[in-house]
Amino acid sequence: MSINNLLDELNDQQRQAVLYNDGPLLILAGAGSGKTKTLTHKIAYILNQKNIDQKNILAVTFTNKAATEMRQRISFLLNQNSINRSFMPYMGTFHGIGVKILRQDGYLIGYDKNFIIFDESDRLSLVKRLLKQKQIDDKSFKPSAITTLISNLKNDPAFFEEKSLSKIEELTQEILPDYERSLKEAGALDFDDLILKLVDLLVQNDSIRDKWRQQFQYILIDEYQDTNLAQYNLIQLLVNDQQQITVVGDDWQSIYSWRGANYKNILKFEKDFKSAKVIKLEQNYRSTSHILNVANHLIHHNVDRSDKNLWTNLVGGLKVKVMQLNNEVSEADMIVRIIKDMVNKSVYKLSDCAILYRTNAQSRALEEAFLRYGLPYQIVGGQKFYDRQEIKDILAYVRLIFQPNDFISFERIINIPVRGIGKKSLANFFEFKDFNQFSLEEALANLTNFNKITKKALSGFQGFHQKLVELKSLKDSGLSVKDFIDQIIKKLDYLNYLDDGSLKGQSKIENVQELLSVAENYGHDFDLFLEEVSLMSDIDRADLSVDQVTLMTIHAAKGLEFNLVFLVGLEESIFPHSRALNSAQELEEERRLCYVAMTRARQQLVLTYTTSRNIYGTLSHNLISRFIKEIVDLEDVDKDASFDHQVTYSYQIPNSQDSFVIEDFEIGDQIFHPIFKEGQIIDLSDNLAAIKFKLAGVKTLDISLAPLKKI
């Protein structure tokens, strides 16, 4: 494709963004405005016209799937028949870029190039191990909450400052040094370290920082609104004096504050880079005007946002529909019947349809309905492929060959397949190892000198050691990734170990065979294989080309689009989530999340809510979501009781001007809230009530919205 043809595909704003290479550039790209197209065309233009070597371009995405799509598009634009990674820029996620640089230069801060990456399940295993060492019951302090707090502390050292700490926060602070020592001992980095250690490397070594700043002459960053403090600091370190940095993003779609993301990074870009040019991509190519108008109207209720005016040429189409159902069962039943009817009439394919929800707990009723009607579906965000027991087992063997001190992998597979090594024998082994200050390999080789190990357990340890020696020899013989994993499976007789005659066992065997198919894509590049399987996200493995309905959380749907989208559970305390009801800032993020959900729809958007819902084991009667109240009077919202294509449904919708019945509350009243349970009003001001709940403490709620009842 010639460069003129390349530019002819773009609208005026996209073309300006591609051609501008005179310093910092902020591209404010609204939903569906072609930001990926703009980014890929800009990279192709730089490579084609600026005589820049591919290694001098750093392109950062937020998922491996996005990076793969960008490579494919760039290859097409540059008339390549297939993706040639050696001709591609440094491209990947922040974590992936961190791995690449740390493997080269991390030795300067004490990290071997063969470091392994602890994923979330590895981190949980480590925290459980540390709690056990301290004789603390992991039922008293949830390990997943501790790993989240560790992540918060790593990304923001001031996270615990200026506040009184809870017991779990104090415990996290106590555990953190042991956690860090254990990572070091295992030759491992966790997800947060992949960026934090890279920042340390660049701060501590001027020559290394200068090397990478000189190499990355052009830096392009997608989804800039989702960067956290550590990623922001990394960017500042990598940008050189020419400041050829382009960031693309949309603060309206910032939905990851719970992961430390700060949408204000994009709002202050012009302060960080004084000469920055701003280009707005405001033409939406995805959604009809009805859908876009509803989404725009909703997001304009947020105060803290940039100013954009999204528009589309896709005028008309179907209005946004609002459905009221009795409960989650009738909600799911109606949605599945609508989809089945439309598919039967060839209006949509199954893969054109998606159901989005705020929390995973909402998927149960939907799954049951799909099973009742025999309609194919997939859940994105269920158990990850690489978190399955059988996959983790095989990967643990690969990791232990590459990093012999990986005690988490060691503990996982020491008795897989069964070798007669019990918990007591394993504890005795680690006692022997630690007392003698041995590595895992040294302890295995010298275990005959330890009299606390039974003969049966000793035989098991020795057999395991022999397997490791054999596998290391095979790996060093030059096998490909696929062939090496195949040899692991055969030498362990692992498929026979899985085959217990059940359907579940057969499914596990199929998963292991699928791992071989994945490994085939990596040739002899073990580093890349281990990196990518560790950093793979839910959406990276989702196959949206198969003809089945997709069920997923809204967070997982970011970046995707479907012809028909159902957004379910639009009720106060469900969406917006109950955790956000007391915070204006969190409510704005919930509204951004709703905006993201709405703008996934191309042709048709259906919003549902129920008068009652059984969730988390409790029957709730929630008010209709404020997000519906904010858009229901628009001309773009369908108030007709019939559904297109002759599917009917029960329909009731309150006029947004109607007020809900508000009881005459007074200070001292005993009240009940479906989420926070029993409490007493201790202060009243206008419509705001400060309520001291027996279980949840003091909450300030809007009595015109909160479902409060006197008791």
Side-chain angles (χ1 to χ4, degrees):
M1 180 179 292
S2 71
I3 195 64
N4 288 331
N5 290 338
L6 185 150
L7 294 175
D8 287 344
E9 292 185 340
L10 307 175
N11 66 32
D12 289 344
Q13 288 70 36
Q14 292 170 339
R15 193 177 301 112
Q16 284 181 45
V18 168
L19 294 175
Y20 185 82
N21 288 289
D22 295 325
L25 172 63
L26 168 60
I27 304 174
L28 281 174
S33 63
K35 69 179 179 64
T36 303
K37 182 177 185 178
T38 304
L39 261 183
T40 51
H41 279 65
K42 188 174 182 71
I43 293 170
Y45 177 80
I46 294 169
L47 288 168
N48 189 286
Q49 295 291 300
K50 292 291 185 179
N51 197 28
I52 295 294
D53 193 282
Q54 75 279 358
K55 73 175 184 298
N56 297 129
I57 300 174
L58 171 63
V60 183
T61 64
F62 264 76
T63 65
N64 289 305
K65 191 181 185 75
T68 299
E69 181 186 351
M70 288 179 67
R71 288 190 191 100
Q72 291 170 342
R73 291 199 193 190
I74 293 167
S75 295
F76 174 76
L77 293 173
L78 296 176
N79 295 319
Q80 293 180 347
N81 294 324
S82 61
I83 297 174
N84 181 354
R85 278 187 181 247
S86 65
F87 191 70
M88 285 292 119
Y90 254 68
M91 182 179 291
T93 63
F94 274 105
H95 296 93
I97 299 300
V99 171
K100 287 181 174 64
I101 297 178
L102 286 170
R103 291 232 189 269
Q104 291 185 53
D105 296 326
Y107 69 92
L108 291 167
I109 54 172
Y111 288 94
D112 185 87
K113 70 174 183 178
N114 287 332
F115 67 80
I116 56 170
I117 302 166
F118 270 23
D119 62 19
E120 191 56 35
S121 65
D122 297 323
R123 294 174 70 165
L124 278 172
S125 297
L126 176 53
V127 167
K128 288 177 181 177
R129 193 173 194 261
L130 295 173
L131 290 175
K132 188 175 181 181
Q133 288 174 0
K134 291 180 178 294
Q135 298 182 328
I136 296 173
D137 184 3
D138 62 16
K139 292 182 176 62
S140 301
F141 296 96
K142 198 173 179 182
S144 60
I146 294 175
T147 61
T148 298
L149 287 169
I150 287 174
S151 183
N152 290 336
L153 271 176
K154 284 192 170 192
N155 285 291
D156 182 4
F159 184 73
F160 280 171
E161 289 182 6
E162 297 181 3
K163 70 172 188 176
S164 57
L165 300 185
S166 65
K167 288 185 178 179
I168 195 169
E169 288 171 335
E170 289 177 349
L171 178 59
T172 301
Q173 205 167 44
E174 180 185 340
I175 279 178
L176 187 56
D178 296 328
Y179 175 88
E180 292 292 277
R181 277 193 295 271
S182 298
L183 281 178
K184 192 78 172 175
E185 178 189 342
L189 297 174
D190 65 20
F191 282 160
D192 299 307
D193 288 333
L194 297 176
I195 298 170
L196 295 173
K197 300 304 180 186
L198 177 53
V199 169
D200 289 345
L201 171 68
L202 299 177
V203 168
Q204 295 173 26
N205 296 270
D206 294 348
S207 61
I208 296 297
R209 182 174 67 252
D210 291 342
K211 179 185 83 170
W212 289 105
R213 287 175 63 143
Q214 288 171 20
Q215 175 164 333
F216 295 142
Q217 296 178 30
Y218 287 83
I219 297 177
L220 303 98
I221 302 168
D222 194 11
E223 305 287 9
Y224 191 68
Q225 77 280 351
D226 291 329
T227 52
N228 62 24
L229 178 62
Q231 292 161 346
Y232 175 83
N233 290 336
L234 176 60
I235 293 162
Q236 305 302 313
L237 287 165
L238 288 175
V239 175
N240 61 29
D241 292 341
Q242 279 64 52
Q243 295 192 338
Q244 291 286 13
I245 177 172
T246 297
V247 302
V248 184
D250 180 10
D251 59 291
W252 294 8
Q253 297 185 74
S254 180
I255 58 174
Y256 295 113
S257 67
W258 49 277
R259 288 199 317 213
N262 187 350
Y263 70 95
K264 293 188 177 179
N265 288 346
I266 197 169
L267 297 179
K268 67 177 184 177
F269 184 82
E270 292 172 85
K271 292 181 180 177
D272 292 334
F273 300 96
K274 303 298 184 187
S275 60
K277 181 177 179 64
V278 180
I279 296 175
K280 296 180 182 180
L281 304 185
E282 297 175 301
Q283 182 175 359
N284 177 287
Y285 291 92
R286 177 189 300 152
S287 305
T288 65
S289 58
H290 289 311
I291 294 169
L292 194 62
N293 289 344
V294 168
N296 282 345
H297 189 81
L298 177 83
I299 200 64
H300 275 80
H301 283 77
N302 274 9
V303 175
D304 202 1
R305 58 176 171 79
S306 64
D307 184 34
K308 291 191 296 296
N309 181 32
L310 257 64
W311 59 279
T312 181
N313 282 327
L314 303 174
V315 178
L318 297 166
K319 291 186 177 184
V320 173
K321 294 186 177 297
V322 177
M323 297 170 59
Q324 181 203 54
L325 289 309
N326 292 330
N327 53 45
E328 75 280 2
V329 176
S330 58
E331 176 185 58
D333 189 79
M334 181 58 65
I335 289 171
V336 175
R337 287 200 292 118
I338 291 170
I339 292 174
K340 189 165 187 173
D341 182 74
M342 290 189 170
V343 170
N344 289 341
K345 293 175 179 174
S346 300
V347 178
Y348 296 122
K349 297 184 298 182
L350 291 171
S351 56
D352 288 330
C353 309
I355 305 173
L356 309 183
Y357 35 79
R358 177 63 180 85
T359 64
N360 280 307
Q362 293 169 255
S363 69
R364 177 190 56 82
L366 292 162
E367 280 194 85
E368 290 173 355
F370 275 95
L371 292 170
R372 281 197 303 274
Y373 284 90
L375 230 56
Y377 70 97
Q378 67 168 335
I379 290 188
V380 176
Q383 186 181 23
K384 297 178 185 177
F385 178 75
Y386 294 107
D387 279 348
R388 296 182 185 278
Q389 175 189 336
E390 59 276 15
I391 302 302
K392 293 284 284 184
D393 288 349
I394 299 300
L395 291 178
Y397 273 97
V398 180
R399 286 185 7 168
L400 196 58
I401 297 300
F402 274 78
Q403 181 46 265
N405 292 319
D406 178 8
F407 59 84
I408 293 293
S409 290
F410 176 87
E411 287 186 42
R412 179 179 188 87
I413 58 178
I414 186 61
N415 212 33
I416 294 178
V418 176
R419 298 187 176 90
I421 301 171
K423 290 183 179 179
K424 186 173 181 181
S425 294
L426 187 58
N428 287 338
F429 169 84
F430 276 107
E431 177 189 329
F432 171 72
K433 169 191 170 296
D434 295 341
F435 179 80
N436 291 282
Q437 297 185 332
F438 283 153
S439 66
L440 287 172
E441 205 167 21
E442 289 169 338
L444 286 170
N446 291 279
L447 200 55
T448 52
N449 300 322
F450 187 49
N451 58 15
K452 281 191 177 181
I453 297 290
T454 65
K455 287 185 178 180
K456 185 179 180 182
L458 178 61
S459 176
F461 280 114
Q462 289 174 331
F464 179 75
H465 187 214
Q466 183 59 36
K467 279 284 189 293
L468 291 184
V469 171
E470 291 175 16
L471 291 172
K472 187 173 190 312
S473 176
L474 279 171
K475 186 264 171 187
D476 293 341
S477 69
L479 291 179
S480 67
V481 178
K482 178 189 176 184
D483 290 342
F484 180 57
I485 291 176
D486 191 39
Q487 284 298 311
I488 291 175
I489 295 166
K490 288 174 178 174
K491 287 202 170 288
L492 297 174
D493 196 17
Y494 190 68
L495 296 187
N496 189 50
Y497 167 72
L498 294 176
D499 189 4
D500 59 3
S502 69
L503 290 175
K504 186 175 181 181
Q506 184 57 40
S507 175
K508 289 183 177 184
I509 290 171
E510 290 170 359
N511 286 334
V512 172
Q513 291 166 336
E514 173 64 14
L515 179 64
L516 287 171
S517 299
V518 172
E520 194 168 13
N521 299 321
Y522 291 88
H524 290 75
D525 197 338
F526 284 87
D527 284 343
L528 185 63
F529 171 73
L530 287 172
E531 171 195 329
E532 293 198 348
V533 298
S534 296
L535 301 180
M536 197 74 72
S537 66
D538 292 346
I539 194 59
D540 290 328
R541 279 199 55 82
D543 187 354
L544 303 181
S545 65
V546 178
D547 195 25
Q548 53 191 351
V549 179
T550 298
L551 281 63
M552 63 200 327
T553 65
I554 305 167
H555 284 99
K558 179 80 181 296
L560 303 179
E561 53 188 64
F562 302 87
N563 286 340
L564 169 61
V565 169
F566 291 88
L567 177 54
V568 303
L570 277 155
E571 300 136 37
E572 293 288 300
S573 296
I574 302 294
F575 195 23
H577 196 281
S578 59
R579 287 194 302 263
L581 297 181
N582 303 320
S583 165
Q585 189 173 354
E586 290 184 26
L587 271 173
E588 291 215 341
E589 174 140 338
E590 290 288 295
R591 191 174 284 107
R592 292 195 296 269
L593 188 59
C594 191
Y595 172 83
V596 166
M598 289 177 170
T599 53
R600 299 312 94 198
R602 296 190 192 105
Q603 299 173 9
Q604 193 162 11
L605 173 63
V606 181
L607 313 177
T608 72
Y609 70 101
T610 65
T611 53
S612 67
R613 184 177 299 273
N614 195 330
I615 190 168
Y616 307 124
T618 303
L619 182 64
S620 300
H621 299 274
N622 297 317
L623 297 177
I624 184 173
S625 170
R626 68 191 70 198
F627 300 150
I628 288 182
K629 292 175 67 179
E630 288 167 358
I631 56 93
V632 74
D633 280 339
L634 297 177
E635 289 294 322
D636 305 278
V637 176
D638 190 352
K639 301 179 179 67
D640 189 349
S642 64
F643 195 88
D644 293 282
H645 315 297
Q646 286 71 55
V647 177
T648 59
Y649 57 92
S650 151
Y651 184 90
Q652 292 178 345
I653 183 74
N655 187 305
S656 66
Q657 294 177 350
D658 294 342
S659 59
F660 294 99
V661 176
I662 302 174
E663 294 194 48
D664 187 17
F665 291 111
E666 296 179 356
I667 294 175
D669 282 348
Q670 300 290 326
I671 59 89
F672 179 83
H673 185 282
I675 300 294
F676 306 127
K677 307 306 178 187
E678 296 177 1
Q680 182 181 35
I681 296 176
I682 58 175
D683 193 19
L684 277 173
S685 177
D686 296 324
N687 278 341
L688 296 179
I691 304 168
K692 186 175 182 179
F693 291 98
K694 292 180 180 178
L695 299 177
V698 177
K699 306 285 184 184
T700 301
L701 303 178
D702 187 332
I703 60 176
S704 67
L705 293 171
L708 302 175
K709 296 290 182 185
K710 287 185 182 180
I711 56 175

